[in-house]
Structure formats: structure tokens, C-alpha cells
Amino acid sequence: MSLFKKVKNTIRLLKSVDMDQLAKINEKIDLADAMKSLGELDERQLAGLMKMLKTKRRKGQHDLPPIDGDFYNLDLKLTEQQREIQMKVRNFMEEEIRPLVNEYWKKDQFPFEIIEKFKKIDIVGVPYEGYGCPNLPFLMEGIIAQELARVDVSVSTFFGVHSGLAMGSIYLCGSEEQKQEWLPKMQKLEKIGAFGLTEPNVGSGVAGGLETTCKFDGENWILNGQKKWIGNATFADVTIIWARDLDSNRVKGFLVKKENPGFKTEKIKDKMALRIVQNAIITLKDCKVPESDRLQNANSFKDTANVLRMTRAAVAWQAVGCSRGAYESALKYTKKREQFGRPIASFQLIQDHLVEMLSNLTSMQTLCFRLSEMQDQGMLTDEHASLAKVYCSMRMRDIVSRAREVMGGNGILLEYDVARFVADAEAIYSYEGTKEINSLIVGRAITGYSAFIS
């Protein structure tokens, strides 16, 4: 190209350029680098770039609101410290856990590398006082359970079994020596705990008679029986085992170490839910446990019930987290997925499903928030916790079902996460008391009549 043509083209280019706009662009990007990068593009790449730049946003695609399942802004009720913890857990789950859960879920394996990562965020034993625990309100335990389950229910369950059920049993029922021995190590995740209550033949009827027995022989307690569905049990350092004393017929609790003679675990395979959680069948055959490892303040099933009452609120929060994860995943999908030339989020029937999901989610959140406030105020009863478990687990089922529905066929693929939430919701629906049992607890409280079979 001749010098004259170059000058002529440059003058024409300068006349067509809005210098004010160019100055604004130069404030945001390095124009020299941008020009160099553009010059390195081939014709196909330049054509694609120009097509993207010329494409106008479709109606309804501008200034889209953020995806946030906290529609009533309950986070504003948290203190600055509590909000910081919530966001720390959320960022941890998004950055460290989300990238790996689907792969481990498919393999039916536990990602042991996350234990070291969990140590760094220091959220174990949140509501306990002393022993290295944070001593924060029960509300924060609920918020943490929600944030964990929002990404993966299995990881939330691993955490809840260890920090809630196992540590809670020692905190409420252990002697001071037992607390000093176990709680600091468990808080730091140096030792992992499990909780053995449910049995192959005894689920909801544990209050009426455990088949696992214990008998003191003058030197050791001898435990015999089986436990089923025990999360973390395949690798836990200590498992809280609840057994019926053959002499007194009372329920007692024991700290059973994995190396105890007569203690055996077998992984439960082929689950459709909570596939990351390593559930096991525990067989106790003349398992010897010294008196020093009997929970000194666990003398009846009422003591076991105190542990379950304390942790049941967190299970309701888990249902909230599972529901929020499904809702937010579905909402994100509907904004990107296009049919008939526009995002399906702009369709009336899709919006109806989304609003139903959000309505249920918001009612669950507000119920659980109040439940945790009552727990922190010492007002929590069995029926309060049971009502939350009943309602939240039912609404959760509806939410995950609608989330799968708005995603169509893609809703059954793991890559979109909702399929995992649908499956894991079934486990939340059943554990820590079925709908029927929790309904009867609430029914007894409001009518004054017990409908339990005696």
C-alpha cells in the first residue's frame, strides 16, 4: 500500500472514530495491547468477534438480577462476624468442594483430601463451649449446615455426623475426662467421629428397644449387635454406640474405637443417595469396651434424645441448603437455556415453577431461622425441632422435583447438579426421624394424646 493511501485511510478512520468514546475505552483497557491482539486474529476469529459485538441483547436479557436464594435477605439479621463466617464457608464450598463432588459422587467414594482443607476454616463444634470450640450461637450451626448442603448434601452429612452427633454426644453425655480427651482433637479434625444408633431391624423404634446389647462383666462392657446406615463409620476413629443394658434394660452410650476387639465395619454399597458418605453396617461381636469409655452421663434413652434434639434443627437447615442449591442451579439454567429463540426463564410456566420453589424455600428459611433463635434462647422442644424437620423435608422434595422439571432432560445429568440434589433429598427426608414419626411427636404436643404404638 502506497504512503498516500495509508494517509488517506488513516484520515478516514480518524473521522469515523468517536474520540471521547475511545478515551473512555482506553481508561478500561490498554488499547495498544488490544490492537496488537486484534492484529493477530485470523479472518474467521475476527468475523466471530464482530458478530458477537454486533449482536444485540434480546429482550429480557439486560440487567438480569443476581441468582440469590435468600429472597427475604435473612443474611441482614446476622452480625458482621456471623456474615463473615457464612461467606467463608460459601467460598470454601464453591472453590474447594464444588469442583470435585460430582466425580466422587459417581465413584461412591469419600474425598479424604477435604479433611485437611476443612481444618483451615475452623468451623467444627460451633455451638460448644470450651475444648477449642468456637462457642457461637446454634443459629450459626444452622447457617453452616445450609451453606454446606447448598453445594453438596453428602459433605454436609459428613460434617453433621462428626461435629453434631458424635461430638454432641460427648459434649452432652461424656465425663469431663472424656471431653478433654476427645473434643479438642475432634474440633481440629485430628480424630473423626461417627454415631451408631440405627439398626438393621430398628429404625424409628429405637426408643422402644434396641437390639444391640451391653453387659458389664466386672472388668469390661461386652457389646453385641449390629448398627446400620452409620455415616463415617468405615474410617472414623471413634463411634458412639448406643446399646441396651441387659441388666437394667436402660440405654447406655459407649466410645468405641476402630481398633476395639470385636468391632467390624462393612461399607454399604449401591446407594442412590449420599454416595459420598461412607455408610456402614457395624457388627459388634463380644466387643470389649472398658468402663472408662462408657459415656458417664448417658443413662437412658432420654439422654440419647437430647443429642438428637440438639442436632435435628441442623438437619432442617440441611433441607434448606439442598433446596437452595437446587433452586439456584435451576434458575441459573433457565436463564441460559434457550428454546424458540429466547431463554426459557422468560416463559410463564417456567416462572410459575420458579416462584413456587422460591416461596417454599423462603418459608423454610424463615422457619429455621426462628427455630435456631429458639434453640439459642433455650426454648427448643422436641416438637419444635420435629415440625421443622417434617415441613422442610416435605417442601424440599417439592423444590428439587420442580428444579429437575424446569431443566427437562438435562435435569437428570450430574453435570447440572440438580440430579444429585434430587437423589440426596431422599436421604434427608428419611434420616433423623421419618415424616411419620416427627408428625406424631408434633401431634402429641398439640392434641395431648399420644398416637404412638405402645
Side-chain angles (χ1 to χ4, degrees), residues 24 38 73 111 155 166 171 204 208 246 316 318 374 451:
K24 290 180 180 179
L38 285 171
N73 297 123
V155 171
Y171 186 77
S204 298
L246 287 173
Q318 273 190 329
M374 294 177 71

Side-chain angles (χ1 to χ4, degrees), residues 19 38 69 172 187 193 210 241 254 270 286 311 315 338 351 358 369 414 421 434:
M19 299 305 292
L38 285 171
L172 291 181
Q187 198 281 326
L210 292 173
I241 295 292
F254 298 88
D270 302 324
D286 294 329
T311 59
V315 176
E338 293 190 359
Q351 289 191 6
L358 182 59
F369 208 100
L414 270 181
F421 287 122
T434 63

Side-chain angles (χ1 to χ4, degrees), residues 52-68:
M52 181 185 72
L53 292 174
K54 289 180 178 180
T55 300
K56 294 182 179 179
R57 288 177 175 175
R58 291 186 177 92
K59 184 178 180 182
Q61 284 189 311
H62 56 283
D63 298 327
L64 296 179
I67 296 172
D68 184 1

Side-chain angles (χ1 to χ4, degrees), residues 142 145-146 149-150 314-326 361 363-366 368-369 392-393 396 399 428:
Q146 173 194 224
R150 175 182 167 271
V315 176
W317 275 106
Q318 273 190 329
V320 173
C322 177
S323 301
R324 183 169 179 176
L361 175 58
S363 64
M364 293 162 63
Q365 288 170 327
T366 52
C368 284
F369 208 100
C392 291
S393 59
M396 169 190 62
I399 289 172
I428 295 178

Side-chain angles (χ1 to χ4, degrees), residues 374-418:
M374 294 177 71
Q375 189 169 12
D376 285 319
Q377 294 164 4
M379 299 169 58
L380 184 72
T381 63
D382 286 334
E383 53 266 28
H384 293 143
S386 291
L387 181 63
K389 174 60 167 59
V390 166
Y391 182 77
C392 291
S393 59
M394 288 193 300
R395 295 305 95 211
M396 169 190 62
R397 260 183 162 184
D398 186 76
I399 289 172
V400 299
S401 175
R402 289 178 186 271
R404 197 222 65 79
E405 186 166 346
V406 300
M407 296 175 74
N410 285 332
I412 67 172
L413 295 175
L414 270 181
E415 66 178 286
Y416 294 102
D417 294 329
V418 165

